Structures are given as structure tokens and as C-alpha cells.
Amino acid sequence: MKWIGTQTIYDHVRFNKGITIDSVSITTIQDSSESFANNDTSLMTSAAIAEKIEAYGYSTGDITGVT
């Protein structure tokens, strides 16, 4: 993350004090090193989503058979 005046850069995407999507103002990008915030103003990276799913006890793997 780099600061350019009042803007913040997240992997080549610029946010000017937030972005509005479908009338919801997004103000935060949560990465996997941050605690989960249950709100309507944050987006999660794919790593943060994977960690949240795994925290519920789900795991990734291959289906080896169905009966």
C-alpha cells in the first residue's frame, strides 16, 4: 500500500476516500493479516476469504468418490 496525497493504492487500484458500489460506500480492503470485520463497508481479498472459510472448519481437497 502506498500513499499519494489523499489517495491510497492497493495493487494498482486507486481509492479516493472510498468507492461506492450499488449505494454502499466501501472504505476498507481486508487482507488475510487483519481480523474479520462484519460490516457493509469492507471488501475481502481472496486470501482473507479462504482463511474465513477454513476458520469454519471447511477444507479444500479433491472429491474421490460419491455414494
Short mmCIF file of all heavy atoms in Angstrom, two decimals:
data_model
loop_
_atom_site.label_atom_id
_atom_site.label_comp_id
_atom_site.label_asym_id
_atom_site.label_seq_id
_atom_site.Cartn_x
_atom_site.Cartn_y
_atom_site.Cartn_z
N MET A 1 0.85 -1.16 0.00
CA MET A 1 0.00 0.00 0.00
C MET A 1 0.90 1.23 0.00
O MET A 1 1.85 1.31 0.75
CB MET A 1 -0.90 -0.02 1.22
CG MET A 1 -1.78 1.18 1.34
SD MET A 1 -2.98 1.06 2.69
CE MET A 1 -1.93 1.27 4.09
N LYS A 2 0.60 2.19 -0.87
CA LYS A 2 1.35 3.43 -0.94
C LYS A 2 0.40 4.61 -0.84
O LYS A 2 -0.73 4.54 -1.29
CB LYS A 2 2.13 3.51 -2.25
CG LYS A 2 3.20 2.47 -2.40
CD LYS A 2 3.93 2.64 -3.70
CE LYS A 2 4.98 1.56 -3.86
NZ LYS A 2 5.68 1.67 -5.13
N TRP A 3 0.87 5.67 -0.25
CA TRP A 3 0.08 6.89 -0.13
C TRP A 3 0.50 7.88 -1.19
O TRP A 3 1.67 8.12 -1.40
CB TRP A 3 0.28 7.53 1.24
CG TRP A 3 -0.22 6.71 2.36
CD1 TRP A 3 0.50 5.84 3.14
CD2 TRP A 3 -1.56 6.62 2.83
NE1 TRP A 3 -0.30 5.23 4.05
CE2 TRP A 3 -1.58 5.69 3.89
CE3 TRP A 3 -2.75 7.22 2.46
CZ2 TRP A 3 -2.73 5.37 4.58
CZ3 TRP A 3 -3.90 6.90 3.16
CH2 TRP A 3 -3.88 5.99 4.19
N ILE A 4 -0.47 8.46 -1.88
CA ILE A 4 -0.22 9.54 -2.84
C ILE A 4 -1.21 10.64 -2.48
O ILE A 4 -2.37 10.61 -2.88
CB ILE A 4 -0.44 9.09 -4.29
CG1 ILE A 4 0.51 7.97 -4.67
CG2 ILE A 4 -0.28 10.27 -5.24
CD1 ILE A 4 0.32 7.44 -6.06
N GLY A 5 -0.78 11.61 -1.69
CA GLY A 5 -1.68 12.67 -1.25
C GLY A 5 -2.82 12.08 -0.45
O GLY A 5 -2.62 11.43 0.55
N THR A 6 -4.05 12.29 -0.90
CA THR A 6 -5.23 11.77 -0.21
C THR A 6 -5.68 10.44 -0.77
O THR A 6 -6.74 9.94 -0.42
CB THR A 6 -6.40 12.77 -0.29
OG1 THR A 6 -6.71 12.99 -1.67
CG2 THR A 6 -6.05 14.07 0.39
N GLN A 7 -4.90 9.85 -1.68
CA GLN A 7 -5.27 8.58 -2.30
C GLN A 7 -4.43 7.44 -1.76
O GLN A 7 -3.32 7.63 -1.31
CB GLN A 7 -5.09 8.64 -3.82
CG GLN A 7 -5.96 9.68 -4.49
CD GLN A 7 -5.69 9.75 -5.97
OE1 GLN A 7 -4.66 9.30 -6.44
NE2 GLN A 7 -6.64 10.29 -6.71
N THR A 8 -4.98 6.25 -1.82
CA THR A 8 -4.26 5.04 -1.42
C THR A 8 -4.26 4.08 -2.59
O THR A 8 -5.26 3.92 -3.27
CB THR A 8 -4.96 4.38 -0.22
OG1 THR A 8 -5.09 5.34 0.82
CG2 THR A 8 -4.17 3.20 0.29
N ILE A 9 -3.13 3.43 -2.84
CA ILE A 9 -3.04 2.46 -3.94
C ILE A 9 -3.00 1.06 -3.36
O ILE A 9 -2.18 0.73 -2.52
CB ILE A 9 -1.79 2.69 -4.80
CG1 ILE A 9 -1.82 4.07 -5.43
CG2 ILE A 9 -1.66 1.61 -5.85
CD1 ILE A 9 -0.59 4.40 -6.23
N TYR A 10 -3.90 0.19 -3.80
CA TYR A 10 -3.93 -1.23 -3.46
C TYR A 10 -3.72 -1.99 -4.75
O TYR A 10 -4.62 -2.08 -5.57
CB TYR A 10 -5.28 -1.65 -2.86
CG TYR A 10 -5.56 -1.10 -1.49
CD1 TYR A 10 -6.27 0.07 -1.32
CD2 TYR A 10 -5.13 -1.78 -0.37
CE1 TYR A 10 -6.54 0.56 -0.06
CE2 TYR A 10 -5.40 -1.29 0.90
CZ TYR A 10 -6.10 -0.12 1.04
OH TYR A 10 -6.36 0.34 2.29
N ASP A 11 -2.53 -2.54 -4.96
CA ASP A 11 -2.24 -3.34 -6.15
C ASP A 11 -2.75 -2.66 -7.43
O ASP A 11 -3.54 -3.23 -8.17
CB ASP A 11 -2.82 -4.74 -6.02
CG ASP A 11 -2.14 -5.51 -4.91
OD1 ASP A 11 -0.98 -5.26 -4.62
OD2 ASP A 11 -2.83 -6.36 -4.32
N HIS A 12 -2.34 -1.46 -7.67
CA HIS A 12 -2.64 -0.70 -8.89
C HIS A 12 -4.09 -0.22 -8.99
O HIS A 12 -4.52 0.19 -10.04
CB HIS A 12 -2.28 -1.49 -10.14
CG HIS A 12 -0.90 -2.05 -10.11
ND1 HIS A 12 0.23 -1.26 -10.12
CD2 HIS A 12 -0.45 -3.31 -10.01
CE1 HIS A 12 1.30 -2.02 -10.05
NE2 HIS A 12 0.92 -3.27 -9.98
N VAL A 13 -4.86 -0.29 -7.92
CA VAL A 13 -6.22 0.24 -7.91
C VAL A 13 -6.24 1.42 -6.97
O VAL A 13 -5.79 1.33 -5.83
CB VAL A 13 -7.24 -0.82 -7.43
CG1 VAL A 13 -8.63 -0.24 -7.37
CG2 VAL A 13 -7.20 -2.03 -8.36
N ARG A 14 -6.78 2.53 -7.39
CA ARG A 14 -6.81 3.73 -6.56
C ARG A 14 -8.19 3.92 -5.96
O ARG A 14 -9.20 3.76 -6.61
CB ARG A 14 -6.46 4.97 -7.36
CG ARG A 14 -5.02 5.02 -7.78
CD ARG A 14 -4.72 6.28 -8.49
NE ARG A 14 -3.31 6.26 -8.91
CZ ARG A 14 -2.64 7.34 -9.19
NH1 ARG A 14 -3.19 8.52 -9.10
NH2 ARG A 14 -1.38 7.24 -9.55
N PHE A 15 -8.22 4.27 -4.68
CA PHE A 15 -9.45 4.58 -3.97
C PHE A 15 -9.34 5.99 -3.43
O PHE A 15 -8.39 6.32 -2.73
CB PHE A 15 -9.68 3.62 -2.80
CG PHE A 15 -9.96 2.21 -3.23
CD1 PHE A 15 -8.95 1.30 -3.39
CD2 PHE A 15 -11.26 1.82 -3.51
CE1 PHE A 15 -9.21 0.01 -3.80
CE2 PHE A 15 -11.54 0.54 -3.91
CZ PHE A 15 -10.51 -0.37 -4.06
N ASN A 16 -10.30 6.85 -3.75
CA ASN A 16 -10.35 8.21 -3.21
C ASN A 16 -11.29 8.24 -2.03
O ASN A 16 -12.48 8.43 -2.19
CB ASN A 16 -10.84 9.20 -4.28
CG ASN A 16 -9.83 9.40 -5.38
OD1 ASN A 16 -8.64 9.49 -5.09
ND2 ASN A 16 -10.29 9.45 -6.60
N LYS A 17 -10.76 8.01 -0.83
CA LYS A 17 -11.55 8.04 0.39
C LYS A 17 -12.76 7.12 0.30
O LYS A 17 -13.80 7.40 0.85
CB LYS A 17 -11.99 9.46 0.72
CG LYS A 17 -10.85 10.40 1.03
CD LYS A 17 -11.37 11.76 1.39
CE LYS A 17 -10.23 12.71 1.64
NZ LYS A 17 -10.70 14.04 1.95
N GLY A 18 -12.65 6.02 -0.41
CA GLY A 18 -13.75 5.08 -0.54
C GLY A 18 -14.30 5.03 -1.94
O GLY A 18 -13.98 5.84 -2.79
N ILE A 19 -15.10 4.05 -2.21
CA ILE A 19 -15.74 3.87 -3.51
C ILE A 19 -17.16 3.41 -3.23
O ILE A 19 -17.42 2.72 -2.27
CB ILE A 19 -14.97 2.85 -4.36
CG1 ILE A 19 -15.52 2.77 -5.76
CG2 ILE A 19 -14.94 1.49 -3.73
CD1 ILE A 19 -14.63 1.99 -6.72
N THR A 20 -18.10 3.82 -4.05
CA THR A 20 -19.49 3.45 -3.86
C THR A 20 -19.90 2.42 -4.90
O THR A 20 -19.71 2.63 -6.10
CB THR A 20 -20.42 4.68 -3.96
OG1 THR A 20 -20.02 5.61 -2.95
CG2 THR A 20 -21.87 4.31 -3.74
N ILE A 21 -20.42 1.29 -4.42
CA ILE A 21 -20.91 0.22 -5.28
C ILE A 21 -22.34 -0.07 -4.86
O ILE A 21 -22.59 -0.43 -3.71
CB ILE A 21 -20.06 -1.06 -5.14
CG1 ILE A 21 -18.61 -0.77 -5.52
CG2 ILE A 21 -20.64 -2.19 -5.98
CD1 ILE A 21 -17.66 -1.89 -5.26
N ASP A 22 -23.28 0.11 -5.79
CA ASP A 22 -24.69 -0.15 -5.51
C ASP A 22 -25.15 0.54 -4.23
O ASP A 22 -25.74 -0.07 -3.35
CB ASP A 22 -24.95 -1.65 -5.45
CG ASP A 22 -26.42 -2.00 -5.54
OD1 ASP A 22 -27.19 -1.19 -6.07
OD2 ASP A 22 -26.79 -3.08 -5.07
N SER A 23 -24.82 1.80 -4.10
CA SER A 23 -25.16 2.68 -2.98
C SER A 23 -24.49 2.31 -1.65
O SER A 23 -24.84 2.84 -0.61
CB SER A 23 -26.68 2.80 -2.78
OG SER A 23 -27.21 1.64 -2.18
N VAL A 24 -23.50 1.41 -1.67
CA VAL A 24 -22.74 1.06 -0.47
C VAL A 24 -21.35 1.67 -0.60
O VAL A 24 -20.66 1.44 -1.58
CB VAL A 24 -22.63 -0.47 -0.29
CG1 VAL A 24 -21.75 -0.82 0.90
CG2 VAL A 24 -24.00 -1.09 -0.16
N SER A 25 -20.93 2.43 0.39
CA SER A 25 -19.62 3.07 0.36
C SER A 25 -18.57 2.14 0.94
O SER A 25 -18.57 1.85 2.14
CB SER A 25 -19.66 4.38 1.16
OG SER A 25 -18.40 5.00 1.09
N ILE A 26 -17.67 1.64 0.08
CA ILE A 26 -16.60 0.74 0.51
C ILE A 26 -15.43 1.59 0.99
O ILE A 26 -14.94 2.45 0.27
CB ILE A 26 -16.14 -0.16 -0.65
CG1 ILE A 26 -17.31 -0.95 -1.22
CG2 ILE A 26 -15.00 -1.08 -0.21
CD1 ILE A 26 -18.00 -1.85 -0.24
N THR A 27 -14.99 1.37 2.22
CA THR A 27 -13.91 2.17 2.80
C THR A 27 -12.68 1.36 3.16
O THR A 27 -11.64 1.94 3.48
CB THR A 27 -14.40 2.90 4.06
OG1 THR A 27 -14.84 1.94 5.01
CG2 THR A 27 -15.53 3.86 3.74
N THR A 28 -12.77 0.03 3.15
CA THR A 28 -11.66 -0.80 3.61
C THR A 28 -11.50 -2.04 2.74
O THR A 28 -12.48 -2.63 2.32
CB THR A 28 -11.92 -1.28 5.06
OG1 THR A 28 -12.16 -0.14 5.88
CG2 THR A 28 -10.76 -2.06 5.62
N ILE A 29 -10.25 -2.43 2.50
CA ILE A 29 -9.92 -3.71 1.89
C ILE A 29 -9.28 -4.55 2.98
O ILE A 29 -8.24 -4.18 3.52
CB ILE A 29 -8.94 -3.57 0.71
CG1 ILE A 29 -9.46 -2.60 -0.34
CG2 ILE A 29 -8.61 -4.94 0.12
CD1 ILE A 29 -10.67 -3.08 -1.08
N GLN A 30 -9.91 -5.67 3.35
CA GLN A 30 -9.36 -6.54 4.40
C GLN A 30 -8.47 -7.59 3.77
O GLN A 30 -8.90 -8.32 2.89
CB GLN A 30 -10.48 -7.27 5.14
CG GLN A 30 -11.37 -6.39 5.96
CD GLN A 30 -12.46 -7.19 6.63
OE1 GLN A 30 -12.39 -8.41 6.75
NE2 GLN A 30 -13.50 -6.51 7.07
N ASP A 31 -7.22 -7.67 4.24
CA ASP A 31 -6.36 -8.74 3.76
C ASP A 31 -6.29 -9.85 4.81
O ASP A 31 -6.91 -9.76 5.86
CB ASP A 31 -4.98 -8.22 3.36
CG ASP A 31 -4.20 -7.64 4.52
OD1 ASP A 31 -4.43 -8.04 5.67
OD2 ASP A 31 -3.32 -6.80 4.25
N SER A 32 -5.54 -10.89 4.51
CA SER A 32 -5.55 -12.07 5.38
C SER A 32 -4.88 -11.82 6.73
O SER A 32 -5.06 -12.61 7.64
CB SER A 32 -4.87 -13.24 4.68
OG SER A 32 -3.53 -12.91 4.37
N SER A 33 -4.13 -10.74 6.88
CA SER A 33 -3.48 -10.48 8.16
C SER A 33 -4.37 -9.70 9.13
O SER A 33 -4.00 -9.50 10.28
CB SER A 33 -2.18 -9.70 7.94
OG SER A 33 -2.47 -8.39 7.46
N GLU A 34 -5.54 -9.27 8.68
CA GLU A 34 -6.42 -8.47 9.51
C GLU A 34 -7.55 -9.31 10.09
O GLU A 34 -7.94 -10.32 9.52
CB GLU A 34 -7.02 -7.32 8.70
CG GLU A 34 -5.97 -6.36 8.18
CD GLU A 34 -6.55 -5.33 7.24
OE1 GLU A 34 -7.56 -5.58 6.57
OE2 GLU A 34 -5.96 -4.25 7.18
N SER A 35 -8.09 -8.86 11.20
CA SER A 35 -9.24 -9.52 11.80
C SER A 35 -10.47 -9.28 10.95
O SER A 35 -10.60 -8.24 10.30
CB SER A 35 -9.50 -8.99 13.21
OG SER A 35 -8.41 -9.27 14.04
N PHE A 36 -11.39 -10.23 10.96
CA PHE A 36 -12.63 -10.12 10.20
C PHE A 36 -13.49 -8.98 10.76
O PHE A 36 -13.67 -8.86 11.96
CB PHE A 36 -13.40 -11.44 10.29
CG PHE A 36 -14.74 -11.39 9.63
CD1 PHE A 36 -14.86 -11.29 8.26
CD2 PHE A 36 -15.90 -11.43 10.38
CE1 PHE A 36 -16.10 -11.25 7.65
CE2 PHE A 36 -17.15 -11.39 9.79
CZ PHE A 36 -17.25 -11.31 8.42
N ALA A 37 -13.99 -8.15 9.87
CA ALA A 37 -14.89 -7.07 10.26
C ALA A 37 -16.24 -7.33 9.60
O ALA A 37 -16.35 -7.32 8.38
CB ALA A 37 -14.34 -5.72 9.83
N ASN A 38 -17.25 -7.59 10.38
CA ASN A 38 -18.58 -7.89 9.87
C ASN A 38 -19.33 -6.58 9.66
O ASN A 38 -20.04 -6.11 10.54
CB ASN A 38 -19.33 -8.80 10.85
CG ASN A 38 -20.64 -9.29 10.29
OD1 ASN A 38 -20.95 -9.08 9.12
ND2 ASN A 38 -21.42 -9.94 11.12
N ASN A 39 -19.13 -5.97 8.48
CA ASN A 39 -19.78 -4.71 8.18
C ASN A 39 -20.09 -4.62 6.69
O ASN A 39 -19.74 -5.50 5.93
CB ASN A 39 -18.92 -3.52 8.64
CG ASN A 39 -17.59 -3.50 7.95
OD1 ASN A 39 -17.48 -3.67 6.75
ND2 ASN A 39 -16.53 -3.27 8.72
N ASP A 40 -20.73 -3.56 6.30
CA ASP A 40 -21.09 -3.37 4.89
C ASP A 40 -20.19 -2.37 4.19
O ASP A 40 -20.53 -1.88 3.12
CB ASP A 40 -22.55 -2.89 4.78
CG ASP A 40 -23.54 -3.97 5.15
OD1 ASP A 40 -23.21 -5.16 5.00
OD2 ASP A 40 -24.65 -3.63 5.59
N THR A 41 -19.03 -2.07 4.76
CA THR A 41 -18.13 -1.10 4.15
C THR A 41 -16.77 -1.69 3.81
O THR A 41 -15.85 -0.95 3.46
CB THR A 41 -17.94 0.12 5.07
OG1 THR A 41 -17.37 -0.31 6.30
CG2 THR A 41 -19.26 0.83 5.33
N SER A 42 -16.61 -3.01 3.91
CA SER A 42 -15.32 -3.65 3.66
C SER A 42 -15.43 -4.71 2.57
O SER A 42 -16.44 -5.39 2.46
CB SER A 42 -14.80 -4.34 4.93
OG SER A 42 -14.66 -3.43 5.97
N LEU A 43 -14.37 -4.83 1.78
CA LEU A 43 -14.21 -5.93 0.84
C LEU A 43 -13.06 -6.79 1.34
O LEU A 43 -12.14 -6.29 1.98
CB LEU A 43 -13.87 -5.41 -0.56
CG LEU A 43 -14.95 -4.64 -1.30
CD1 LEU A 43 -14.42 -4.13 -2.63
CD2 LEU A 43 -16.16 -5.51 -1.51
N MET A 44 -13.10 -8.09 1.05
CA MET A 44 -12.04 -9.01 1.50
C MET A 44 -11.25 -9.52 0.30
O MET A 44 -11.83 -9.79 -0.75
CB MET A 44 -12.66 -10.20 2.23
CG MET A 44 -13.40 -9.84 3.50
SD MET A 44 -14.26 -11.24 4.23
CE MET A 44 -12.91 -12.15 4.92
N THR A 45 -9.93 -9.68 0.49
CA THR A 45 -9.12 -10.30 -0.54
C THR A 45 -9.43 -11.79 -0.59
O THR A 45 -10.06 -12.34 0.33
CB THR A 45 -7.62 -10.11 -0.25
OG1 THR A 45 -7.30 -10.79 0.97
CG2 THR A 45 -7.24 -8.63 -0.15
N SER A 46 -9.01 -12.45 -1.64
CA SER A 46 -9.28 -13.89 -1.76
C SER A 46 -8.62 -14.68 -0.64
O SER A 46 -9.19 -15.65 -0.14
CB SER A 46 -8.82 -14.41 -3.13
OG SER A 46 -7.45 -14.15 -3.33
N ALA A 47 -7.43 -14.28 -0.20
CA ALA A 47 -6.77 -14.97 0.91
C ALA A 47 -7.55 -14.80 2.20
O ALA A 47 -7.67 -15.74 2.99
CB ALA A 47 -5.34 -14.45 1.09
N ALA A 48 -8.10 -13.62 2.42
CA ALA A 48 -8.91 -13.38 3.63
C ALA A 48 -10.18 -14.22 3.60
O ALA A 48 -10.60 -14.77 4.62
CB ALA A 48 -9.25 -11.90 3.76
N ILE A 49 -10.79 -14.36 2.42
CA ILE A 49 -11.99 -15.18 2.28
C ILE A 49 -11.66 -16.65 2.55
O ILE A 49 -12.38 -17.34 3.28
CB ILE A 49 -12.60 -15.01 0.89
CG1 ILE A 49 -13.15 -13.59 0.73
CG2 ILE A 49 -13.70 -16.04 0.63
CD1 ILE A 49 -13.52 -13.22 -0.68
N ALA A 50 -10.55 -17.13 1.99
CA ALA A 50 -10.14 -18.52 2.21
C ALA A 50 -9.90 -18.79 3.70
O ALA A 50 -10.34 -19.82 4.22
CB ALA A 50 -8.87 -18.83 1.42
N GLU A 51 -9.24 -17.88 4.39
CA GLU A 51 -8.99 -18.07 5.83
C GLU A 51 -10.29 -18.08 6.62
O GLU A 51 -10.42 -18.84 7.58
CB GLU A 51 -8.05 -16.99 6.34
CG GLU A 51 -6.61 -17.22 5.91
CD GLU A 51 -5.65 -16.22 6.54
OE1 GLU A 51 -6.07 -15.39 7.35
OE2 GLU A 51 -4.46 -16.30 6.19
N LYS A 52 -11.24 -17.24 6.24
CA LYS A 52 -12.53 -17.21 6.94
C LYS A 52 -13.27 -18.52 6.74
O LYS A 52 -13.84 -19.08 7.69
CB LYS A 52 -13.36 -16.03 6.44
CG LYS A 52 -14.64 -15.82 7.19
CD LYS A 52 -14.36 -15.43 8.64
CE LYS A 52 -15.64 -15.17 9.39
NZ LYS A 52 -15.44 -15.09 10.82
N ILE A 53 -13.28 -19.06 5.54
CA ILE A 53 -13.94 -20.33 5.25
C ILE A 53 -13.27 -21.46 6.03
O ILE A 53 -13.93 -22.30 6.64
CB ILE A 53 -13.92 -20.63 3.74
CG1 ILE A 53 -14.84 -19.64 3.02
CG2 ILE A 53 -14.33 -22.07 3.44
CD1 ILE A 53 -14.72 -19.65 1.51
N GLU A 54 -11.93 -21.48 6.03
CA GLU A 54 -11.20 -22.52 6.76
C GLU A 54 -11.40 -22.41 8.26
O GLU A 54 -11.37 -23.41 8.98
CB GLU A 54 -9.73 -22.47 6.38
CG GLU A 54 -9.50 -22.92 4.93
CD GLU A 54 -8.11 -22.60 4.42
OE1 GLU A 54 -7.30 -21.99 5.15
OE2 GLU A 54 -7.83 -22.96 3.26
N ALA A 55 -11.64 -21.19 8.76
CA ALA A 55 -11.89 -21.00 10.19
C ALA A 55 -13.19 -21.67 10.62
O ALA A 55 -13.35 -22.03 11.79
CB ALA A 55 -11.94 -19.51 10.53
N TYR A 56 -14.12 -21.86 9.69
CA TYR A 56 -15.37 -22.56 9.98
C TYR A 56 -15.20 -24.08 9.94
O TYR A 56 -16.13 -24.82 10.18
CB TYR A 56 -16.47 -22.16 9.00
CG TYR A 56 -17.04 -20.79 9.26
CD1 TYR A 56 -16.93 -19.78 8.31
CD2 TYR A 56 -17.71 -20.49 10.44
CE1 TYR A 56 -17.46 -18.53 8.53
CE2 TYR A 56 -18.24 -19.24 10.67
CZ TYR A 56 -18.11 -18.27 9.71
OH TYR A 56 -18.64 -17.01 9.93
N GLY A 57 -14.00 -24.55 9.62
CA GLY A 57 -13.73 -25.98 9.61
C GLY A 57 -13.80 -26.63 8.24
O GLY A 57 -13.61 -27.84 8.10
N TYR A 58 -14.08 -25.86 7.20
CA TYR A 58 -14.10 -26.40 5.85
C TYR A 58 -12.67 -26.48 5.34
O TYR A 58 -11.81 -25.70 5.74
CB TYR A 58 -14.93 -25.52 4.92
CG TYR A 58 -16.38 -25.47 5.30
CD1 TYR A 58 -16.90 -24.37 5.97
CD2 TYR A 58 -17.24 -26.50 4.98
CE1 TYR A 58 -18.24 -24.31 6.33
CE2 TYR A 58 -18.58 -26.46 5.33
CZ TYR A 58 -19.06 -25.36 6.00
OH TYR A 58 -20.39 -25.31 6.35
N SER A 59 -12.40 -27.41 4.44
CA SER A 59 -11.07 -27.53 3.88
C SER A 59 -11.17 -27.75 2.38
O SER A 59 -12.22 -28.12 1.86
CB SER A 59 -10.30 -28.68 4.52
OG SER A 59 -10.94 -29.90 4.26
N THR A 60 -10.06 -27.53 1.72
CA THR A 60 -10.01 -27.76 0.26
C THR A 60 -9.51 -29.18 0.03
O THR A 60 -8.85 -29.78 0.86
CB THR A 60 -9.08 -26.76 -0.43
OG1 THR A 60 -7.77 -26.91 0.12
CG2 THR A 60 -9.56 -25.33 -0.23
N GLY A 61 -9.82 -29.73 -1.11
CA GLY A 61 -9.38 -31.08 -1.45
C GLY A 61 -10.13 -31.58 -2.66
O GLY A 61 -10.96 -30.90 -3.23
N ASP A 62 -9.82 -32.78 -3.04
CA ASP A 62 -10.45 -33.40 -4.20
C ASP A 62 -11.57 -34.33 -3.75
O ASP A 62 -11.46 -35.00 -2.73
CB ASP A 62 -9.42 -34.20 -5.01
CG ASP A 62 -8.35 -33.31 -5.61
OD1 ASP A 62 -8.66 -32.15 -5.93
OD2 ASP A 62 -7.21 -33.78 -5.75
N ILE A 63 -12.60 -34.39 -4.57
CA ILE A 63 -13.66 -35.39 -4.32
C ILE A 63 -13.17 -36.70 -4.92
O ILE A 63 -12.83 -36.78 -6.10
CB ILE A 63 -14.98 -34.95 -5.00
CG1 ILE A 63 -15.47 -33.65 -4.37
CG2 ILE A 63 -16.02 -36.05 -4.89
CD1 ILE A 63 -16.69 -33.07 -5.06
N THR A 64 -13.09 -37.72 -4.08
CA THR A 64 -12.57 -39.00 -4.55
C THR A 64 -13.68 -40.01 -4.83
O THR A 64 -13.43 -41.07 -5.38
CB THR A 64 -11.59 -39.59 -3.53
OG1 THR A 64 -12.26 -39.74 -2.28
CG2 THR A 64 -10.39 -38.69 -3.37
N GLY A 65 -14.90 -39.67 -4.43
CA GLY A 65 -16.00 -40.59 -4.70
C GLY A 65 -17.30 -40.08 -4.11
O GLY A 65 -17.31 -39.27 -3.19
N VAL A 66 -18.40 -40.53 -4.68
CA VAL A 66 -19.72 -40.16 -4.21
C VAL A 66 -20.54 -41.44 -4.10
O VAL A 66 -20.56 -42.25 -5.01
CB VAL A 66 -20.40 -39.18 -5.16
CG1 VAL A 66 -21.81 -38.84 -4.70
CG2 VAL A 66 -19.58 -37.91 -5.32
N THR A 67 -21.21 -41.63 -2.96
CA THR A 67 -22.05 -42.82 -2.84
C THR A 67 -23.49 -42.42 -2.56
O THR A 67 -23.77 -41.34 -2.07
CB THR A 67 -21.56 -43.72 -1.69
OG1 THR A 67 -21.53 -42.96 -0.48
CG2 THR A 67 -20.19 -44.28 -2.00
#
